[in-house]
């Protein structure tokens, strides 16, 4: 029986995964990941593997399998991807977000870049390699996870807490939001490999006052106190603090631009990054963005409490000062609790694995300039780093110069270039030969 090549199969796999709706609304009210997990398990089973499905809650499923390497003396490598996607409003889209259509040289749909593309690339590459009997030297653990889009509580965090044995011997991991290309105005092509992530603090703020009639003199108003605190938080600008990753990234951008790196004017360097400047700009400092306000029920009734939510993000190494500042800004009358809290991570831009990623990119794009960068958001790397793994974002994609890639994440008309998927397959295959 003849099989399609990995480069051909990846397009079909990506499209089929998109057609399985795995919307994660942040609670258990969505369709869950079970169907996608069964699909992935079947594709892995086809080539002689025995993947296991782990269910943390009804329909919240992850798939894990270990592929034995040829050299048992080596440590293992984890390759992880998530199966869930954020919601999509069908009416806003040019094409059906769950149609997996292939048009205009792209695969369209929710998850096309976040991150059914990488799931499909990993499946396609491993299926081809195993059919050809090409095992990597190291053990490779593949994990396709539930719930990343809601912080991984029912996916990566749950597996790390309940089944750490699955990741035994894994010293490094590769996952999402890295390995993609960014073409500078002078046509230099960077490939951003994630080596750090900001930490996150989604907080619920509560102001408590005295309830009363809106017509009377009233000094203890919860709405007033909350609004003032939210205003202080939203307007606060943290100082620029260059972490080692952000500094290395900016230095490399300057080198590619042929300019001198000026640590006192980093915002100018970030300006040159096109659509990516909003994401990279957020890695220069801690940030706070108010996102939810809720209070009261009638114009003439002063409520006893007022509630807000704030999305806070802190740089690696700056968590403590971040919360000190938050508490100072909140003042006496407003308390905070976490809706979700997770660590910042940062690892080194050196060693054989980094070299293998860089070499694989250069082998398939001679113009490639691999660079480390810090992600302003978070991924399942946070969970796996707690097991001591060095985590990298490496889901290689060569992208057209004009594509607003960062805008595709959770965006309308999310799509991935077919050529990008094929490129990613070639790069991952090369990479796995050299791990
Ligand atoms: Zn993602």
């Amino acid at each position: 029986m003849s099989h399609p090549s990995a480069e051909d199969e990846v397009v079909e796999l990506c499209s089929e995964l998109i057609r399985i709706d795995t919307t994660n609304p942040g609670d258990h009210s969505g369709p869950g990941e079970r169907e996608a997990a069964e699909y992935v398990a079947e594709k892995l089973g086809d080539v002689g593997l025995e993947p296991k499905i782990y269910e943390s809650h009804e329909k919240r499923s992850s798939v894990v399998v270990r592929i034995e390497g040829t050299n048992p003396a080596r440590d293992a490598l984890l390759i992880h991807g998530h199966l869930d996607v954020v919601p999509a409003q069908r009416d806003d889209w040019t094409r059906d977000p769950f149609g997996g259509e292939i048009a205009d040289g792209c695969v369209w749909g929710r998850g096309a870049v976040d991150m059914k593309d990488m799931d499909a690339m990993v499946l396609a590459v491993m299926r081809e390699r195993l059919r050809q009997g090409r095992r990597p030297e190291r053990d490779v653990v593949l994990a396709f996870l539930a719930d990343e889009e809601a912080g991984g509580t029912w996916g990566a965090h749950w597996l790390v807490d309940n089944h750490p044995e699955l990741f035994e011997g894994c010293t490094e991991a590769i996952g999402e939001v890295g390995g993609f290309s960014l073409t500078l105005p002078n046509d230099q092509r960077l490939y951003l490999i994630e080596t750090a992530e900001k930490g996150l603090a989604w907080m619920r703020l509560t102001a408590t006052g005295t309830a009363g009639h809106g017509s009377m003199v009233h000094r203890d108003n919860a709405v007033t106190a909350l609004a003032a605190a939210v205003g202080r938080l939203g307007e606060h600008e943290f100082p620029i603090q260059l972490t080692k990753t952000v500094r290395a990234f900016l230095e490399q951008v300057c080198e590619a631009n042929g300019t001198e790196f000026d640590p006192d004017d980093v915002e100018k360097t970030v300006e040159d990054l096109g659509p990516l400047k909003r994401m990279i700009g957020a890695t220069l400092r801690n940030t706070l963005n108010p996102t939810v306000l809720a209070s009261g029920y009638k114009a003439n009734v002063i409520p006893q409490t007022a509630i807000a939510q704030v999305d806070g993000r802190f740089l690696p190494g700056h968590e403590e000062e971040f919360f000190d500042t938050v508490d100072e800004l909140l003042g006496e009358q407003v308390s905070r609790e976490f809706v979700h809290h997770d660590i910042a991570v940062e690892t080194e831009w050196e060693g054989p694995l980094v070299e293998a990623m860089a070499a694989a990119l250069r082998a398939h794009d001679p113009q490639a300039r691999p660079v480390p960068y810090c992600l302003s958001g978070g991924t399942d790397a946070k969970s796996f780093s707690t097991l001591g793994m060095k985590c990298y974002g490496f889901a290689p994609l060569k992208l057209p110069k004009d594509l607003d890639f960062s805008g595709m994440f959770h965006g309308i008309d999310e799509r991935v270039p077919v050529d990008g998927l094929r490129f990613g397959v070639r790069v991952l295959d090369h990479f796995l030969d050299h791990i």
Side-chain angles (χ1 to χ4, degrees), residues 82 114-115 148-149 176-177 409-410:
H82 61 83
D114 187 12
M115 62 173 294
E148 192 278 339
E149 295 293 358
E176 65 175 326
V177 210
F409 281 77
H410 303 189

Side-chain angles (χ1 to χ4, degrees), residues 62 64 111 121 158 173 235 254 330 391:
S62 300
V64 183
M121 292 186 319
W158 186 86
E235 277 168 11
C254 287
L330 283 180
C391 295

Side-chain angles (χ1 to χ4, degrees), residues 57 87 112 117 203 219 276 316:
H57 187 278
D117 56 338
M203 296 173 282
R219 298 280 174 228
L276 216 59

Side-chain angles (χ1 to χ4, degrees), residues 171-172 193-196 244-245 248 345-355 357 372-373 388-393:
T171 52
E172 292 158 319
I193 296 176
E194 194 214 288
T195 56
K244 65 178 179 186
T245 300
V345 293
E346 186 163 41
T347 188
E348 295 108 62
W349 177 245
E350 60 185 21
L353 195 80
V354 167
E355 277 159 36
M357 291 188 277
Y373 90 103
M389 290 180 228
K390 292 182 180 173
C391 295
Y392 297 92

